[in-house]
Amino acid sequence: MKSNAFLLLVLIMVSACSSKEDLPTVKDVDLNKYQGTWYEIARLPNRFEKGLKCVTANYTLNEDGTIKVINKGINTEDQSKSETAIGKAKVPDAQFPGQIKVSFFGPFYGDYYIIDLDENYQFALVGDPSRKYLWILSRTPRIDDKIYNNLITKAEQQGFSIKELHLTKQDCNL
């Protein structure tokens, strides 16, 4: 039941991410390199991740070019409970590979814009054009302070409210 609530909240987020405001994205994304597990280092608060820690996103490239998305998190109040949301993603326009669409339910897709991406695919800054959603992702549970601060600066320069940024605890094994 709780997983369904998590999925519903993800759907709400996806539906809300439909603003047409401009947000620059990276010009190149190699989906083969992007796939795998990413740890959430920080995020803007949102309802669908409230009360979660040890949040990860795993991306797997499908044969048809779409991407399987598995988001997981552990309940901060009861670590025996976890939340999982399974969805799919696609790049609708190959000329803009950093502008990805993600769906966790039916035909509804939300924006997943890769704003910054390390050339070695070790960290990423992801948001949406409405500036309501923002994630700092890393291949490891922790990120260097200098890199983190650079990503925060980039997010702020793009109009995100970094004062509200929530650091995600990564103190468990998923």
Side-chain angles (χ1 to χ4, degrees), residues 35-171:
Q35 70 180 338
T37 300
W38 290 87
Y39 293 86
E40 181 184 274
I41 302 301
R43 67 178 178 256
L44 283 179
N46 57 64
R47 291 182 294 194
F48 54 92
E49 288 184 276
K50 185 175 182 177
L52 295 181
K53 67 178 191 170
C54 304
V55 176
T56 61
N58 186 279
Y59 306 106
T60 306
L61 191 57
N62 297 317
E63 288 183 20
D64 65 359
T66 62
I67 304 156
K68 181 178 183 179
V69 180
I70 303 175
N71 291 340
K72 293 182 181 181
I74 302 293
N75 185 295
T76 56
E77 298 294 320
D78 182 353
Q79 292 189 37
S80 69
K81 295 181 181 178
S82 64
E83 303 290 331
T84 301
I86 299 174
K88 62 182 175 180
K90 62 183 178 180
V91 178
D93 188 340
Q95 292 182 350
F96 301 100
Q99 295 181 10
I100 298 172
K101 295 287 189 178
V102 179
S103 175
F104 287 93
F105 184 74
F108 304 103
Y109 281 84
D111 293 320
Y112 178 101
Y113 279 28
I114 303 173
I115 303 162
D116 193 17
L117 179 61
D118 171 53
E119 66 182 27
N120 295 315
Y121 290 71
Q122 296 302 300
F123 59 82
L125 181 65
V126 176
D128 80 303
S130 74
R131 286 18 180 225
K132 291 180 183 177
Y133 301 97
L134 180 72
W135 294 270
I136 294 176
L137 306 175
S138 174
R139 292 296 190 172
T140 59
R142 287 163 190 68
I143 194 169
D144 180 78
D145 287 342
K146 184 178 178 181
I147 294 169
Y148 178 79
N149 290 329
N150 285 339
L151 292 171
I152 288 176
T153 299
K154 288 178 184 183
E156 188 173 37
Q157 290 169 345
Q158 293 302 323
F160 288 91
S161 176
I162 62 157
K163 292 178 183 176
E164 299 176 35
L165 211 55
H166 167 82
L167 292 172
T168 305
K169 287 186 180 181
Q170 290 289 351
D171 61 353

